[in-house]
Amino acid sequence: MTRVQPAWLGLTLVTAAVYAILLWLGARYLYAGPDRLPPFDARVLGYSAQAAREYLAALGPDQVRIYTGPMHWIDTLFPPLLGVWIWITLRWLGAARAVWLAPLYVLVDWSENALVGRMLEAGAQGVSDGLVAWASAATAVKFAALALALIAAGHAGLRRWGKL
């Protein structure tokens, strides 16, 4: 085992732990209303202006406080952790041409977080269609960048270990 492998394993465990906290907080506090509408960050394909307004209207004050407080701070920490993990993993597996997906993911996730924060500030009555469109696009691009990075890692891993 090289010296890098324990560090990579540690980074993997820390990243997974932070992600688990995000999932727990989201599942416990951020599904809103009687229909348990999912938070913006969990809508892989994005959302419409109407769906955003419905979600914002269904949020209670405590949910907004959690979304803009602990959830925001943890979700500010998570993207760079995952981005570093993606970067190191792709480099280690020999997919150097795909490492650009790591900073793309981080920047888009942080942008999404900022846009979601603005939507939460505006509320259901004050949010503009344009703001929702930008936030929704950031959500979809975040998931697309992550999917591409994981596909690249899987492909590089299969290639590295002679399965391709």
Side-chain angles (χ1 to χ4, degrees), residues 31-156:
Y31 283 76
D35 296 331
R36 305 236 338 120
L37 300 172
F40 297 119
D41 308 73
R43 298 177 187 219
V44 176
L45 299 176
Y47 37 87
S48 67
Q50 182 60 34
R53 286 187 183 88
E54 288 171 5
Y55 178 73
L56 289 167
L59 281 175
D62 288 341
Q63 289 174 303
V64 172
R65 184 182 50 76
I66 289 166
Y67 213 152
T68 59
M71 189 71 165
H72 170 77
W73 291 111
I74 296 167
D75 202 15
T76 299
L77 171 65
F78 179 71
L81 280 174
L82 185 56
V84 168
W85 183 89
I86 290 168
W87 181 278
I88 291 169
T89 301
L90 289 172
R91 299 263 326 191
W92 180 53
L93 292 172
R97 290 187 305 186
V99 297
W100 62 270
L101 290 164
L104 173 66
Y105 167 79
V106 174
L107 293 173
V108 173
D109 198 344
W110 277 344
S111 297
E112 175 202 30
N113 293 344
L115 293 164
V116 165
R118 289 180 53 198
M119 289 194 304
L120 291 167
E121 279 179 24
Q125 302 303 318
V127 71
S128 71
D129 289 356
L131 177 56
V132 173
W134 278 104
S136 176
T139 299
V141 171
K142 168 188 80 172
F143 282 111
L146 179 58
L148 289 172
L150 295 176
I151 290 167
H155 183 267

Side-chain angles (χ1 to χ4, degrees), residues 9 12 14-16 20 37 102 113:
L9 180 59
T12 300
V14 169
T15 303
L37 300 172
N113 293 344

